[in-house]
């Protein structure tokens, strides 16, 4: 994920679009101002993401101070995993003999490690 281009990161995230937990949304509108796709509208006094317009950039997750925006990791796990593998392959395919791999898994997060707050929950 880290070696993908900005466009590539968006593509990988596009299958796990965020959703808004209306019980935590204060309708401060901050996410609406930052959304580059105008994908967030008002619904019953709360913010609501129009999935057809959302490009999965994650700006709304980063900007919400009330922890109301969450990734819907159950949307299509298969696409995300395959897309990450495809981008990882793209990052090393022209570097034969120049890469090595190691895995260290500690303090695993419930969600994506982009979200600092999820580290404190586990
Ligand atoms: S930033 Fe968070 S609290 Fe504010 S409107 Fe968006 S989802 Fe609701
Ligand atoms: S992920 Fe990006 S495009 Fe989708 S609603 Fe959030 S800010 Fe808008």
């Amino acid at each position: 994920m880290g070696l993908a281009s900005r466009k590539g990161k968006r593509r990988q995230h596009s299958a796990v679009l965020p959703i808004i937990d209306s019980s935590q949304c204060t309708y401060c509108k901050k996410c609406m101002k930052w959304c580059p796709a105008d994908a967030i509208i008002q619904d019953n006094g709360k913010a609501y993401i129009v999935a057809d317009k959302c490009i999965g950039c994650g700006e709304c997750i980063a900007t919400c101070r009330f922890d109301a925006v969450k990734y819907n990791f159950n949307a299509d796990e298969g696409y995300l995993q395959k897309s990450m593998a495809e981008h990882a392959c793209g990052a090393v395919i022209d570097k034969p003999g120049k890469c090595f791999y190691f895995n260290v898994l500690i303090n695993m997060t419930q969600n994506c490690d982009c979200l600092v707050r999820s580290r404190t929950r586990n």
Side-chain angles (χ1 to χ4, degrees), residues 32-94:
M32 301 167 93
K33 290 176 188 153
W34 278 92
C35 177
D38 289 329
I40 306 176
I41 61 173
Q42 186 266 130
D43 181 43
N44 284 328
K46 305 285 182 174
Y48 175 81
I49 295 173
V50 179
D52 287 347
K53 295 180 77 177
C54 176
I55 58 175
C57 68
E59 290 287 344
C60 50
I61 293 176
T63 56
C64 179
R65 293 182 294 124
F66 301 95
D67 202 16
V69 190
K70 306 172 190 312
Y71 267 123
N72 183 8
F73 283 103
N74 296 322
D76 188 349
E77 300 162 353
Y79 179 88
L80 175 65
Q81 301 304 330
K82 288 175 187 171
S83 187
M84 286 177 71
E86 185 180 67
H87 280 78
C89 179
V92 300
I93 199 165
D94 62 344

Side-chain angles (χ1 to χ4, degrees), residues 20 24-31 47 63-66 68-69:
I20 293 175
Q24 291 182 241
C25 176
T26 63
Y27 196 50
C28 69
K29 304 180 186 176
K30 191 173 179 187
C31 58
T63 56
C64 179
R65 293 182 294 124
F66 301 95
V69 190

